Amino acid sequence: DHWADRVHQVAPGATVVGMPDSGFFLDHEDEHRRFNTGLRFVFDTMHAAEGVDQDCVRAARQKKGGGEAWRCMFAEFTAPHI
């Protein structure tokens, strides 16, 4: 974790803990195709791959098709990599 590493650089004995500060949204498309489609659009448009867990991004890019990194915005896909 980036922040844990930075804290340990200046305070090697520090204990670092974390908690989610936003909801855990499920990967679910509504009947109007607005939720997932909208999030994927934002992820791609904002080049958000740098802002999510990089292990998740690497794993998503190695899967067939390689275009599922946007799913790393969802806890169900990121949690196994933390």
Side-chain angles (χ1 to χ4, degrees):
D1 176 73
H2 173 76
W3 287 108
D5 293 343
R6 291 201 54 193
V7 169
H8 284 282
Q9 286 174 355
V10 296
T15 299
V16 178
V17 298
M19 62 174 265
D21 66 349
S22 59
F24 278 14
F25 301 103
L26 296 177
D27 180 17
H28 173 74
E29 186 71 277
D30 66 17
E31 68 272 8
H32 303 290
R33 298 189 47 89
R34 290 183 285 204
F35 189 66
N36 282 16
T37 303
L39 287 177
R40 184 175 187 166
F41 171 79
V42 170
F43 185 86
D44 292 339
T45 302
M46 301 297 178
H47 305 283
E50 295 298 319
V52 297
D53 185 81
Q54 294 303 292
D55 290 334
C56 181
V57 170
R58 279 189 288 279
R61 287 181 175 160
Q62 290 175 355
K63 289 183 179 178
K64 184 177 180 181
E68 298 291 308
W70 69 276
R71 292 189 186 276
C72 295
M73 293 191 304
F74 295 104
E76 65 191 273
F77 295 98
T78 296
H81 302 283
I82 297 176

